[in-house]
Amino acid sequence: GEGLGRAMVRGGPEESAVNLESLTETSGEWLRGTGPDADIVMSSRIRLARNLAQFPFPNRASDSVRGEIEPLLHEQLALRPGGKSLHYLRIDRLESLDRQFLVERQLISRELSEGHGPRGVGISSSENISLMVNEEDHLRMQVLRSGFALEECWRDIDAIDDAIEAGVN
């Protein structure tokens, strides 16, 4: 079959292309098996769901409303929430194979992959942070770590959540 494509990543004033195939050459930090108690616990994950006060929940939002939410949250993710730099992908602009790859790497959910309307994801370069826009919630955040590392996951996701909340209600 065909390889993974190039995706537009928006992270500042200009757009640049990122080759998703480069992700196949490495594994995410959370898959390395090097964290605490990695011989017993494969990985730790904390997920938070957040919704913006002024918008209806995504399952009740039209594509035009989702089109207002996506750039608003993308702008917040571009501000390096919690000091984390993220690569941003517009999921609705990716080919099916590319979306499936991101699902298999647990970087996006099946719901985000198969959804409709404007939607995106911010991914850290180590693939242990994933912030999904316009999934089942306006923002679904997840932090993964290798081994039993719930405290580290919580520290990261709490800082990200606080930073985003400072910018949007």
Side-chain angles (χ1 to χ4, degrees):
E2 293 183 28
L4 295 172
R6 295 182 73 76
M8 295 308 292
V9 175
R10 298 184 327 193
E14 69 280 341
E15 293 188 0
S16 62
V18 167
N19 188 346
L20 288 178
E21 195 162 342
S22 67
L23 292 179
T24 65
E25 298 168 10
T26 62
S27 65
E29 178 273 334
W30 65 275
L31 283 170
R32 293 202 179 118
T34 57
D37 298 315
D39 59 326
I40 300 169
V41 179
M42 181 177 164
S43 66
S44 299
R45 175 172 68 173
I46 293 182
R47 293 179 85 183
L48 295 179
R50 296 290 185 251
N51 290 289
L52 302 175
Q54 69 271 32
F55 294 100
F57 291 120
N59 65 342
R60 297 191 178 261
S62 66
D63 284 352
S64 66
V65 171
R66 289 170 172 256
E68 294 177 51
I69 294 166
E70 188 276 327
L72 179 65
L73 288 175
H74 172 249
E75 182 179 316
Q76 293 301 307
L77 302 187
L79 295 174
R80 298 175 44 97
K84 306 298 183 184
S85 180
L86 304 169
H87 301 288
Y88 192 81
L89 300 169
R90 277 289 301 264
I91 299 302
D92 52 308
R93 295 180 181 166
L94 295 180
E95 298 293 328
S96 176
L97 180 64
D98 296 334
R99 292 192 318 266
Q100 181 62 33
F101 172 74
L102 294 172
V103 169
E104 289 172 1
R105 290 297 276 261
Q106 295 192 28
L107 296 171
I108 66 171
S109 66
R110 190 158 310 284
E111 291 79 12
L112 188 70
S113 174
E114 297 172 359
H116 63 86
R119 55 199 192 284
V121 63
I123 302 169
S124 66
S125 59
S126 60
E127 299 180 42
N128 69 322
I129 297 170
S130 172
L131 307 178
M132 296 175 275
V133 174
N134 279 336
E135 188 223 31
E136 291 180 351
D137 296 282
H138 296 142
L139 183 63
R140 179 73 57 100
M141 301 177 277
Q142 74 173 9
V143 173
L144 299 106
R145 295 269 180 187
S146 180
F148 187 66
L150 290 175
E151 288 183 28
E152 292 85 353
C153 288
W154 175 252
R155 182 188 64 236
D156 286 347
I157 207 165
D158 188 39
I160 292 167
D161 184 50
D162 288 350
I164 292 171
E165 188 176 28
V168 292
N169 186 14

